[in-house]
Amino acid sequence: MTIEFTLTKRQEELRSAIGSLARNVIRPQSLGWDRAHGIPEEFLLRFTQMAASMGGTAGAWGVQGLGATGEEASESAEKKKKSGGAMVSTVVAAEELATGDPALLLCLPGPGLGGPPVRGSGTPEQRERFFSVFKDMSAGLKWGAYALTEPGAGSDVAGIRTSCRKEGREWVLNGRKCYITNGARASWNVVFATIDPSLGRAGHRAFVVEKGTPGFSVGKIEDKMGLRASETAELVLEDCRVPEENLLGGEEKYQTKEGFLTAMKTFDNTRPLVAAMAIGIGRAAYEHAVDFVKERYVLSRPIPRYAAIAERLARVGRDLAAARILTLRAAWLADREIANAKEASMAKAAGGQAAIKACMEAIEICGAHGAVAEDQQLLEKWFRDIKVYDIFEGTGQIQRIVISKRLMPDLRSF
Ligand SMILES: Cc1cc2nc3c(=O)[nH]c(=O)nc-3n(C[C@H](O)[C@H](O)[C@H](O)COP(=O)(O)OP(=O)(O)OC[C@H]3O[C@@H](n4cnc5c(N)ncnc54)[C@H](O)[C@@H]3O)c2cc1C
């Protein structure tokens, strides 16, 4: 198989423009947003408008899974060839933006993680209905969200307990969802529920639950260690009555394991994106440490110590570069609609680990300087932000299980 990693001229321009914006405009505000537990909507609106004016649409920035609507994300084969692929552009843009502030990507208005299941499993009528919400944000920003995790079911996705039962032309949902990004502010959440937990994956159904639906409410908003500017919410469903038209894909879709696949297919697209964001944070920490060492160590410290530190940084740079190649590969496959579950998990596992190591090494190498918070010195913030990249969208252990199951399909020990 040929895999082409050369970025198109357009993608190179995108990378350069977003990288410059990330360093000069976004990064200086990042610590303030972290402390305020949010990014002002005014900034998000300006940012979205600027993206549109530079590239025409949010999709042109490559923020496919986050900002773009359905049509923007589904390119024609010819357009894909010219643009270099929407997913490759997405991961390039995501890495650059994350060097400025990783929470910004999660805060961008648009369907967010709710986009892929609606795009992939919704009927044409559902896609039109739910994506049209984001077409005009002049009266206020709008978000979508993806609600799968429950207090007893995070990694064990098949074990969700939120129930759904059909009553007349409505579905009645009961349960709790937790740690849902943008769940409270979302105009709609894609909520996963089960008709019968004993059926496992075959019992799963995915619903679009709109804000204001009777029986739907928001529980607590989490106070997190990192990514504090991003909203993470608990959602409560108490006899929540959802119209049958909001069952994603319609009932015939669920005669197979499609409900579960809807949840899993989302990850094939979003894991490379999450990997790219992690690599962006790791790269920011690495570059900061390299500059620090160059400025402070070369002339003032004995050579052996400098060499040992340079060697540690070389390992960090190598691991980040290797993770980036895995990420581009997973994105490249997604752009060609080639199955990429294993590659997406490899990218996510490698990106998270490489970036965690980068942040830890950078703090250690910079000594006390690494542990203090300043507007342009964000090592302690990146150190807090990075850990979650090895947790959400499947922990590192879960990625390794996905990979081993594909390497050894007959292995039954998990
Ligand atoms: C900031 C943030 C945002 C999030 N956003 C969303 C969102 O928008 N939507 C959503 O649905 N969820 C979201 N999540 C939830 C996230 O996907 C889960 O936290 C994640 O899947 C892990 O689940 P858990 O927390 O229940 O941990 P657990 O599944 O309980 O895992 C705990 C530990 O056990 C390990 N483990 C679990 N199973 C195995 C196994 N079989 N073998 C070996 N080790 C195992 C894990 O690797 C981990 O180390 C978010 C979480 C965070 C922190």
Side-chain angles (χ1 to χ4, degrees):
M1 179 194 295
T2 311
I3 295 188
E4 177 58 78
F5 287 143
T6 310
L7 299 184
T8 61
K9 187 163 173 277
R10 173 100 186 79
Q11 286 168 329
E12 285 294 0
E13 285 166 4
L14 180 81
R15 173 154 61 187
S16 161
I18 298 184
S20 157
L21 187 75
R23 279 184 301 279
N24 301 318
V25 179
I26 297 169
R27 193 178 288 181
Q29 306 186 70
S30 176
L31 194 61
W33 295 337
D34 182 70
R35 288 179 173 152
H37 290 215
I39 300 178
E41 290 205 8
E42 198 188 13
F43 181 88
L44 293 175
L45 180 63
R46 264 192 291 128
F47 183 85
T48 313
Q49 286 167 340
M50 184 170 48
S53 71
M54 282 176 74
T57 62
W61 278 62
V63 266
Q64 177 194 24
L66 298 157
T69 63
E71 306 90 83
E72 288 161 359
S74 48
E75 293 182 323
S76 68
E78 188 47 35
K79 208 171 152 201
K80 250 179 209 168
K81 206 172 155 199
K82 251 191 182 162
S83 71
M87 266 308 285
V88 168
S89 299
T90 298
V91 300
V92 168
E95 179 181 331
E96 293 304 320
L97 271 185
T99 65
D101 185 68
L104 173 60
L105 263 165
L106 303 181
C107 293
L108 284 181
L113 292 178
V118 174
R119 195 177 302 124
S121 300
T123 62
E125 184 274 332
Q126 288 173 331
R127 287 203 292 272
E128 167 57 29
R129 217 175 112 214
F130 298 123
F131 283 131
S132 67
V133 170
F134 308 105
K135 281 191 177 144
D136 180 11
M137 301 211 209
S138 54
L141 300 182
K142 309 251 173 54
W143 290 266
Y146 174 92
L148 178 65
T149 305
E150 299 179 2
S155 303
D156 178 21
V157 172
I160 55 168
R161 289 286 180 275
T162 293
S163 66
C164 57
R165 63 170 199 278
K166 189 94 189 274
E167 273 187 16
R169 303 205 55 203
E170 290 175 332
W171 284 86
V172 183
L173 272 59
N174 278 288
R176 265 169 198 271
K177 296 289 175 181
C178 54
Y179 310 125
I180 308 306
T181 302
N182 296 325
R185 52 168 62 163
S187 299
W188 48 255
N189 274 274
V190 175
V191 173
F192 292 83
T194 175
I195 51 166
D196 177 355
S198 71
L199 294 176
R201 298 160 187 194
H204 289 195
R205 302 289 180 272
F207 300 90
V208 178
V209 179
E210 293 163 278
K211 202 174 198 158
T213 303
F216 172 83
S217 61
V218 174
K220 66 175 170 172
I221 304 292
E222 301 293 345
D223 186 4
K224 305 188 297 298
M225 170 175 79
L227 293 179
R228 291 166 77 81
S230 163
E231 175 196 276
T232 309
E234 179 190 35
L235 307 178
V236 183
L237 301 135
E238 282 171 328
D239 286 333
C240 175
R241 307 190 82 85
V242 179
E244 66 178 359
E245 306 81 65
N246 289 26
L247 174 65
L248 215 47
E251 293 205 32
E252 52 290 355
K253 194 149 203 126
Y254 298 91
Q255 304 316 311
T256 60
K257 285 182 178 171
E258 193 71 35
F260 181 74
L261 290 180
T262 296
M264 293 300 101
K265 274 185 198 156
T266 297
F267 294 140
D268 297 347
N269 278 315
T270 54
R271 281 178 179 158
L273 179 62
V274 172
M277 290 164 73
I279 293 164
I281 303 172
R283 195 186 100 204
Y286 164 73
E287 287 173 354
H288 186 90
V290 169
D291 289 346
F292 180 87
V293 169
K294 275 196 208 151
E295 275 172 31
R296 315 237 184 141
Y297 275 48
V298 183
L299 299 175
S300 63
R301 306 281 165 127
I303 298 283
R305 177 170 170 170
Y306 174 66
I309 285 173
E311 198 267 345
R312 281 164 76 184
L313 284 169
R315 282 172 191 269
V316 167
R318 177 201 64 188
D319 291 348
L320 288 171
R324 183 178 300 110
I325 289 174
L326 287 173
T327 303
L328 285 169
R329 180 175 68 152
W332 188 93
L333 290 169
D335 274 332
R336 275 142 197 87
E337 290 169 23
I338 300 172
N340 73 339
K342 184 179 76 189
E343 290 77 8
S345 283
M346 284 180 170
K348 168 81 170 46
Q353 284 302 311
I356 288 172
K357 189 88 201 298
C359 291
M360 270 173 54
E361 287 282 48
I363 289 214
E364 284 180 26
I365 286 168
C366 295
H369 166 82
V372 294
E374 287 167 32
D375 285 352
Q376 295 295 326
Q377 195 303 89
L378 294 162
L379 283 178
E380 71 81 34
K381 178 179 178 298
W382 293 326
F383 186 71
R384 287 188 284 109
D385 286 344
I386 195 60
K387 187 55 202 164
V388 81
Y389 285 84
D390 204 33
I391 298 175
F392 62 7
E393 302 280 311
T395 65
Q397 285 91 339
I398 295 304
Q399 307 309 327
R400 287 184 281 280
I401 290 174
V402 173
I403 298 162
S404 13
K405 276 187 171 170
R406 276 168 176 78
L407 291 175
M408 292 167 273
D410 295 331
L411 206 62
R412 291 269 174 264
S413 57
F414 304 115

